[in-house]
Amino acid sequence: MAVFHRPGTLGEACALMAERGDAMVYGGGTAVQILEKQGVLFASDLVDISGIPGLANIEETSSGVRIGPMTTLRAVETSPLVRRVTPLAARVYGHVANPRVRNTASVGGNLAHGDYRLDPPTALLVLDATVELTSSGGTRTVPLREFFVDFQRTAVRPGEIITAVEIPRQDEAAGSWFAKLSSLSANDWPCASAAALVTGGRRFGRVARRIRLGLGAVAPTPVFTQVEVAADAGADEAVDAARQAAEPLIDPIPDVRGGVAFKRHLALVAVEEAVRLSWEERSDARGFFRDRRRRR
Amino acid sequence: MPEDSFETGVAVGERWARTDGRAKVRGELLYAADQPARPCLDVAIHRSTWPHARLVSVDTTDARAMDGVVAVVTGADLHAVLGERMLTGPAFADQPCLAYDKVRYVGEPIAAVIGYGPAAVRRAAEEIDVAYADLEPIHDVDAAIAGTAFVHDELRPSAVFGDLRHLRGKKDTNVNYEYTLRHGNSGAAAETAAHTTSGDFWCPPTHHVPIELPFTAAWPEGDRIEVLSTTQTPSYVRQTLADLLDLPLNRVRVRCAPLGGSFGAKMYDRLEPLAAALAWTQRTAVRIAVTREEAFLLTTRHGAAVTGSMASDEAGDIVAAEADVRYDTGAYADVGPRITAKSGMIANGPYRIANATVRSRCVYTNKPSAGPFRGFGVPQVTWAHESLIDELARARDEDPAAFRRRNLLREGDVAVMGTTMHSADFISCLDAVTGAVGWDAPLEPAAGRLRRGRGVAVGIKAVLTPTISNATLQLNQDGSATLLISTVDMGQGSDTIMAQIAAEVLCLGEGQVRVVTADTDVTPYDTITAGSRSTYHTGNAVRLAAEKMRDRLIGLAAGRLSVETTDIKLTSDGVVSTQTQETLTVPDLLLGHFGARGTTLTTEADFATSWAPYDKETGRSPQVTEHWFAGAAAVQLIVDTATGRVHIEHLAVAGDVGRAINPALVEQQLTGAAVMGIGHALFDELVFDEGQITNGTLLDYQLPSIKDMPDRITPIVIQSPHRSGPFGAKGVGETAIIPLAPAISNAVRDAIGIRFTRLPLTPERIITALAEQHTEGGTA
Ligand SMILES: Cc1cc2nc3c(=O)[nH]c(=O)nc-3n(C[C@H](O)[C@H](O)[C@H](O)COP(=O)(O)OP(=O)(O)OC[C@H]3O[C@@H](n4cnc5c(N)ncnc54)[C@H](O)[C@@H]3O)c2cc1C
């Protein structure tokens, strides 16, 4: 059994993480508890950071929002600030699991969990978020696009604690959508997911629009790509371009939720859905889609 | 018949609240594992990692030396003490509570560690070292029938079912039971038929996943053994443990608690033989609380293959039907042979069929044992016949509902297996569900990549016959009543409706009859709480006991008031003389009779059903069952041709319950079974790889979630009273699950033109089939 610690300051937490053999941060515990029950939790120490003041704040910054690691997924989803500054992020956090899990799981634990099927990374990749990591040796910042290094491996080094996630402000005129497709029960983990953000366009006098795509569950890590499409292109063209850009990144892991061919197919359906709806939202008189989004 | 055309009584037909509802939602109800028991040592089980292997050695040295370990017991240890008595099972004595000669599935218990605390015993169980000698594993029913490797060296029928005796000692087979039905000559009739459909159907094994996990505690109490267990079959367990330990029945006590769901998972031989054997041989109190992952290994629903066909003549009469059914019963027969016969005999469906043939076999494989599961094997054959008849209607260009309606069995018809139909109103069920989903209104096409379709299916099931129920009723001097029965409330609401039946006879109100939780030292014998049999069987025993009580009260009152018994009526005010209008309350009557407060007046009754065994040649019987369950489901749904997802817009289910003792509980049973059926239709299945379950956790095993619920669900109660049911009632627990999967599949067929023969209809199967349809236009 791992030893449980509840430090009162970040310094103490970092010290514990540095000193103990196989120390692990305990965030919301929704993933750690499952490992424990399955008998595959090999940590010597669990460092619960929920008692450290200030780690659950959401603040507006000059460039966007800064979210503390112990903020619950539910708090991000429902935060008026996040909804205003990065609506795509708020929407995607609202798609994780169910309210019970979202009320318990933390923003830091979610990313550090490192699963290839996680929902929030798809949006954070698209929005070019950064992760702040703190250890007894200091603080560093890792772009989310470099955070997921391999199957269930992240850039978090031994001794490091995620102390913030920073999300740049989402272009107000951007169109965005999140498509989460499950293959068994509707409430299951995704079998394929895609977040899309369409920026640029005529309003800024540019000729091209940029489609950014974050994909979940379709490869050993969450993956990111982007492509430019002429601003006067139709949605079909935009979808084709996005599918072409996404296709090489799709490298599904077969399991009870589907084989490679099916997951590949579903990944492209997710891309299509996310891109079509964000493209249309970008092109549309925005009111219609805003309404629709709220109703979902 | 509409619900309110019955005479209204004081209790039957009322929507009384569940007796345990309040305690359950407040978390106050004590389930078995929460019940006070004596301090028990914990048990962890070391399980086989091989599907089929000889046990070469089981080394427990390291485990014994670990902290907190009191004893480590192997199968060989128990076998040395208990001998062949160690083999238990309802049909075949083929289940060792710990394997001692060979292992027959991945997960089979080999040794038990007894000690202090779940963590300590679990750690020690991991230190047990087993050496195996590999045997050829059998993963598939058809390979098991054809192959030369055998799960059991010889068949060992248990003493319970007399009709299996001839199988004793049979060697070199994995088929432990075979039922055949021959009615006319289906082969010849099919040859001249105008339309024929056929198919190879498959239902995968599934797991019950009740919320409450299985639990058993056992301890010796002087020369007796006491057991507290999560079981639907306390009377069966008492007999099994008496046989296992060679004790008279009065030295075995099996206590229950209300179950937190079961669906057949907690029946017959689960944890009880092991717990009792450990407690008795080690002379210590033990508790076995399994994890969710272990629960998946304890029992499953039978996977079943059905090769079937159905043929009609030009006029649209069904002239022939055939079914070759293979139930995968896993490593132990459990109740598989019963399922094989009782479900096999209706494998052609509830139709008027001129010529029919069924061959139904129960087959051992190296998988966790399959046993009872809501529907007792019937949903698997219904999957085949309701798909076949749907295709047959389509081949004839006839509306699938109309074609069924024309051919369905009616009151007084003799079904193919020889028994007459009574109180099984298929037509009303079919009409109710099709009416509810607007079957005859044109289907509005769905937009874009979506396709809309409608489907319907009916289902038939025989109640398990013969069976026995007993009831003991105590009328307390204050006018309240205490009812002693061994029916186990597992959420179906039996404690509520049994109280309603007694209250109806005795003119008592809500809350005045309390049902005592099954305890074999206290409550009388009952075959099982399963197969939707309790309302009818236990209900009748309760009704009879209550009627005896009413007669005794009337007798006492006649004496007190010096009038004829025919002048006395029992009312909610007490006993009344119809001549003098003189009234005595029940408390006064009993106080006068006994001369003391707090006294009890006791009556008891038993109720048993009988059957006529199958004819050896034809498999037919004039009385194969006491009564029938009839049900139907209709569905309107949308298939997303891009994702393969099925979205149910409206699901209507109907069941003929004879008479609804409590309409609210009937609707809940219909709805609950339908939701479970949605899972079986769309994604609920146990996935095996080389005999190992690959999705045996709740992370991967999928159940319907709130988001899988239909937009609308309509439960419909059909009441065609049974002549000998209590107030006309029959059961309802399984009715709606039976036609559910084919109703959904038939609607998918309607939507996208593809006939599926394998369950479940996962998005992957649908997408793959759509791709094939695109290239060749075939079926899946
Ligand atoms: C039933 C269920 C369904 C789910 N479905 C989905 C889904 O649909 N989509 C989805 O995206 N996710 C899903 N999840 C996963 C869920 O999002 C994660 O379990 C959760 O986000 C983990 O957060 P936590 O705070 O509970 O982490 P914990 O369990 O506390 O920790 C998880 C990991 O992160 C590490 N960690 C925690 N906090 C930090 C930190 N600040 N710094 C460094 N390391 C840290 C821990 O050491 C551990 O390794 C599901 C989970 C469950 C239980």
Side-chain angles (χ1 to χ4, degrees):
Chain A
M1 278 289 261
V3 183
F4 203 80
H5 307 269
R6 207 185 280 272
T9 66
L10 189 57
E12 278 175 61
C14 289
L16 282 165
M17 291 296 292
E19 288 158 13
R20 305 287 162 148
D22 263 319
M24 234 176 137
V25 179
Y26 189 92
T30 60
V32 170
Q33 286 292 342
I34 290 173
L35 300 179
E36 160 87 53
K37 276 192 186 145
Q38 290 181 334
V40 292
L41 183 72
F42 301 114
S44 61
D45 297 78
L46 288 174
V47 180
D48 178 357
I49 59 169
S50 64
I52 301 173
L55 292 189
N57 295 345
I58 304 177
E59 296 153 23
E60 186 158 13
T61 63
S62 56
S63 60
V65 286
R66 179 182 163 94
I67 302 175
M70 286 308 292
T71 313
T72 65
L73 308 189
R74 182 76 173 161
V76 180
E77 167 196 358
T78 55
S79 155
L81 174 59
V82 178
R83 285 184 177 188
R84 176 167 53 80
V85 177
T86 67
L88 178 63
R91 184 188 306 174
V92 174
Y93 273 99
H95 274 273
V96 174
N98 52 56
R100 275 200 320 283
V101 170
R102 293 202 294 280
N103 270 315
T104 311
S106 68
V107 165
N110 178 268
L111 292 178
H113 186 40
D115 196 276
Y116 64 106
R117 302 169 300 176
L118 293 169
D119 298 315
T122 61
L124 300 184
L125 284 169
V126 159
L127 295 167
D128 201 11
T130 54
V131 181
E132 182 188 278
L133 295 163
T134 305
S135 69
S136 54
T139 292
R140 66 186 181 114
T141 299
V142 178
L144 202 88
R145 291 176 192 168
E146 291 163 23
F147 185 79
F148 298 100
V149 296
D150 205 343
F151 179 67
Q152 291 185 339
R153 274 193 50 219
T154 67
V156 181
R157 294 183 191 139
E160 282 184 331
I161 299 173
I162 296 177
T163 41
V165 176
E166 297 212 27
I167 314 175
R169 185 181 314 282
Q170 181 178 330
D171 172 0
E172 261 190 54
S176 68
W177 196 258
F178 178 59
K180 177 173 178 174
L181 305 178
S182 63
S183 64
L184 300 173
S185 153
N187 211 31
D188 188 24
W189 282 85
C191 183
S193 66
L197 186 79
V198 176
T199 53
R202 283 211 189 94
R203 221 179 101 193
F204 301 103
R206 287 199 218 130
V207 288
R209 287 192 194 153
R210 173 160 296 178
I211 303 171
R212 298 185 192 166
L213 270 177
L215 308 184
V218 306
T221 63
V223 289
F224 172 75
T225 187
Q226 50 190 336
V227 61
E228 296 210 343
V229 179
D232 57 357
D236 288 344
E237 252 176 274
V239 165
D240 279 348
R243 284 171 61 112
Q244 272 179 31
E247 208 152 1
L249 299 178
I250 300 172
D251 179 17
I253 301 173
D255 60 13
V256 293
R257 290 173 174 80
V260 169
F262 171 69
K263 286 191 172 182
R264 188 174 285 283
H265 166 87
L266 210 61
L268 293 173
V269 175
V271 167
E272 161 154 15
E273 207 169 295
V275 170
R276 187 176 298 281
L277 288 160
S278 25
W279 188 267
E280 284 170 1
E281 184 180 43
R282 178 66 190 84
S283 312
D284 217 73
R286 277 170 29 218
F288 171 73
F289 280 101
R290 277 283 151 81
D291 278 357
R292 179 161 150 184
R293 194 162 65 197
R294 248 178 252 127
R295 265 188 276 124
R296 273 177 70 96
Chain B
M1 207 181 294
E3 205 177 288
D4 47 17
S5 70
F6 290 101
E7 258 180 69
T8 41
V10 295
V12 163
E14 297 296 315
R15 293 172 176 260
W16 281 10
R18 289 168 180 272
T19 54
D20 55 359
R22 191 181 158 83
K24 273 188 179 162
V25 298
R26 292 165 66 101
E28 292 166 358
L29 189 126
L30 295 184
Y31 294 96
D34 311 322
Q35 294 274 340
R38 58 175 49 198
C40 289
L41 294 175
D42 286 290
V43 175
I45 298 166
H46 183 91
R47 296 175 180 277
S48 170
T49 52
W50 290 62
H52 198 195
R54 292 235 158 261
L55 285 173
V56 177
S57 65
V58 180
D59 184 349
T60 60
T61 325
D62 291 350
R64 274 174 216 279
M66 289 182 69
D67 279 351
V69 172
V70 172
V72 181
V73 179
T74 66
D77 296 338
L78 287 182
H79 193 240
V81 181
L82 301 171
E84 301 295 279
R85 292 206 317 267
M86 192 177 157
L87 294 165
T88 64
F92 288 85
D94 60 359
Q95 312 188 23
C97 56
L98 293 174
Y100 56 86
D101 54 351
K102 65 176 191 170
V103 289
R104 298 178 170 90
Y105 66 95
V106 175
E108 183 164 21
I110 294 174
V113 177
I114 304 173
Y116 295 96
V121 290
R122 262 177 221 291
R123 268 198 305 277
E126 281 169 20
E127 297 306 315
I128 293 172
D129 193 17
V130 180
Y132 303 89
D134 189 15
L135 295 168
E136 186 188 326
I138 306 145
H139 298 310
D140 166 81
V141 262
D142 290 331
I145 291 172
T148 53
F150 303 104
V151 178
H152 291 270
D153 298 337
E154 64 173 71
L155 302 186
R156 304 162 156 273
S158 71
V160 185
F161 299 148
D163 58 322
L164 301 176
R165 213 166 293 139
H166 64 286
L167 296 169
R168 177 167 298 280
K170 200 165 166 205
K171 285 193 155 98
D172 295 345
T173 183
N174 287 314
V175 178
N176 59 50
Y177 186 81
E178 175 160 351
Y179 165 84
T180 52
L181 172 69
R182 261 187 300 280
H183 174 57
N185 185 338
S186 58
E191 264 168 40
T192 58
H195 301 279
T196 304
T197 51
S198 61
D200 284 314
F201 298 88
W202 171 248
C203 292
T206 61
H207 184 63
H208 315 60
V209 206
I211 296 180
E212 180 203 25
L213 290 167
F215 170 87
T216 302
W219 57 90
E221 188 78 63
D223 65 352
R224 299 186 295 115
I225 179 107
E226 297 224 349
V227 174
L228 169 64
S229 191
T230 54
T231 180
Q232 304 172 235
T233 54
S235 304
Y236 170 91
V237 168
R238 178 165 79 141
Q239 181 67 64
T240 295
L241 300 187
D243 291 342
L244 175 75
L245 305 178
D246 198 19
L247 294 174
L249 290 170
N250 69 354
R251 285 168 55 192
V252 181
R253 179 183 183 193
V254 179
R255 269 204 296 139
C256 296
L259 297 178
S262 187
F263 315 110
K266 299 166 185 164
M267 281 180 70
Y268 300 124
D269 315 76
R270 297 279 82 90
L271 302 172
E272 298 86 356
L274 178 59
L278 294 176
W280 195 249
T281 60
Q282 304 298 308
R283 303 300 300 172
T284 188
V286 297
R287 73 203 298 272
I288 310 181
V290 297
T291 62
R292 178 62 69 186
E293 288 68 32
E294 286 179 292
F296 278 101
L297 301 167
L298 290 179
T299 182
T300 67
R301 176 167 104 159
H302 288 82
V306 183
T307 302
S309 66
M310 210 179 264
S312 74
D313 61 13
E314 231 16 283
D317 292 336
I318 303 175
V319 292
E322 297 186 350
D324 180 354
V325 188
R326 288 91 73 205
Y327 285 104
D328 183 346
T329 201
Y332 312 139
D334 199 279
V335 78
R338 273 289 167 271
I339 285 174
T340 301
K342 300 271 174 201
S343 302
M345 76 187 181
I346 46 155
N348 297 317
Y351 300 104
R352 296 166 159 172
I353 303 171
N355 302 276
T357 309
V358 175
R359 182 182 197 193
S360 181
R361 284 172 283 182
C362 187
V363 185
Y364 284 127
T365 60
N366 293 118
K367 292 207 191 80
S369 167
F373 190 123
R374 196 177 207 167
F376 261 83
V378 177
Q380 293 93 315
V381 295
T382 308
W383 169 238
H385 68 67
E386 285 308 286
S387 298
L388 286 170
I389 194 159
D390 215 66
E391 278 309 306
L392 193 55
R394 287 170 182 279
R396 287 179 40 75
D397 244 339
E398 189 172 350
D399 175 73
F403 183 57
R404 284 181 175 82
R405 189 177 292 112
R406 225 149 38 72
N407 286 288
L408 278 169
L409 290 166
R410 284 150 168 84
E411 179 82 17
D413 280 353
V414 178
V416 287
M417 92 301 292
T419 301
T420 305
M421 302 309 296
H422 166 60
S423 175
D425 192 350
F426 295 104
I427 309 275
S428 293
C429 291
L430 178 71
D431 289 348
V433 294
T434 50
V437 302
W439 186 265
D440 293 326
L443 196 60
E444 195 184 310
R449 67 195 208 193
L450 308 180
R451 303 283 177 273
R452 187 174 271 127
R454 288 191 192 123
V456 69
V458 295
I460 179 174
K461 182 177 180 284
V463 75
L464 187 64
T465 311
T467 66
I468 303 157
S469 286
N470 288 262
T472 302
L473 182 62
Q474 293 183 347
L475 188 62
N476 304 304
Q477 180 269 324
D478 65 358
S480 68
T482 309
L483 178 60
L484 288 80
I485 50 174
S486 288
T487 296
V488 179
D489 199 319
M490 59 191 92
Q492 85 280 39
S494 56
D495 284 359
T496 308
I497 66 141
M498 295 304 165
Q500 284 181 266
I501 290 172
E504 177 72 22
V505 176
L506 296 172
C507 302
L508 296 175
E510 190 167 358
Q512 287 188 275
V513 181
R514 189 176 88 80
V515 177
V516 173
T517 301
D519 175 344
T520 59
D521 265 12
V522 178
T523 57
Y525 178 87
D526 187 87
T527 306
I528 49 177
T529 305
S532 313
R533 64 173 285 283
S534 301
T535 303
Y536 184 89
H537 293 82
T538 314
N540 262 322
V542 170
R543 178 182 59 86
L544 291 169
E547 285 172 1
K548 283 187 188 170
M549 184 65 73
R550 180 190 60 200
D551 293 348
R552 285 205 63 187
L553 291 177
I554 287 172
L556 292 178
R560 272 280 288 282
L561 302 175
S562 308
V563 296
E564 295 291 313
T565 52
T566 48
D567 288 333
I568 301 284
K569 267 187 79 166
L570 180 64
T571 71
S572 3
D573 299 326
V575 281
V576 186
S577 160
T578 50
Q579 272 185 354
T580 66
Q581 301 306 315
E582 201 177 339
T583 302
L584 269 174
T585 65
V586 169
D588 284 346
L589 182 65
L590 293 186
L591 187 59
H593 174 64
F594 287 112
R597 297 182 70 223
T599 49
T600 56
L601 195 62
T602 304
T603 58
E604 50 85 22
D606 60 295
F607 183 82
T609 52
S610 61
W611 76 311
Y614 312 109
D615 180 275
K616 289 209 167 52
E617 277 301 295
T618 64
R620 300 182 88 223
S621 158
Q623 165 74 6
V624 80
T625 183
E626 178 72 8
H627 68 71
W628 300 102
F629 301 107
V635 56
Q636 178 172 312
L637 53 72
I638 283 180
V639 181
D640 183 332
T641 59
T643 61
R645 282 205 82 83
V646 171
H647 173 82
I648 302 174
E649 296 185 295
H650 190 180
L651 173 62
V653 287
D656 179 357
V657 301
R659 169 94 192 261
I661 302 291
N662 182 325
L665 291 186
V666 169
E667 286 160 8
Q668 289 171 10
Q669 284 295 305
L670 288 171
T671 306
V675 169
M676 199 169 201
I678 291 172
H680 290 154
L682 299 178
F683 42 72
D684 185 338
E685 70 174 316
L686 278 171
V687 179
F688 285 86
D689 180 27
E690 297 294 314
Q692 171 119 29
I693 299 176
T694 59
N695 62 342
T697 75
L698 286 186
L699 286 176
D700 288 331
Y701 194 88
Q702 300 282 305
L703 300 168
S705 69
I706 193 74
K707 291 185 182 167
D708 295 288
M709 291 306 105
D711 297 341
R712 208 173 140 200
I713 183 156
T714 308
I716 304 164
V717 183
I718 302 294
Q719 308 194 72
S720 155
H722 191 277
R723 62 172 86 88
S724 50
F727 306 99
K730 304 179 297 175
V732 67
E734 301 160 302
T735 306
I737 203 171
I738 290 168
L740 226 285
I744 289 176
S745 177
N746 291 339
V748 170
R749 164 75 171 85
D750 190 46
I752 59 173
I754 297 175
R755 169 61 57 194
F756 287 86
T757 59
R758 291 179 76 84
L759 282 174
L761 274 58
T762 58
E764 182 168 23
R765 289 224 168 96
I766 289 178
I767 288 299
T768 308
L770 282 166
E772 280 165 15
Q773 180 190 45
H774 198 65
T775 50
E776 13 170 319
T779 61

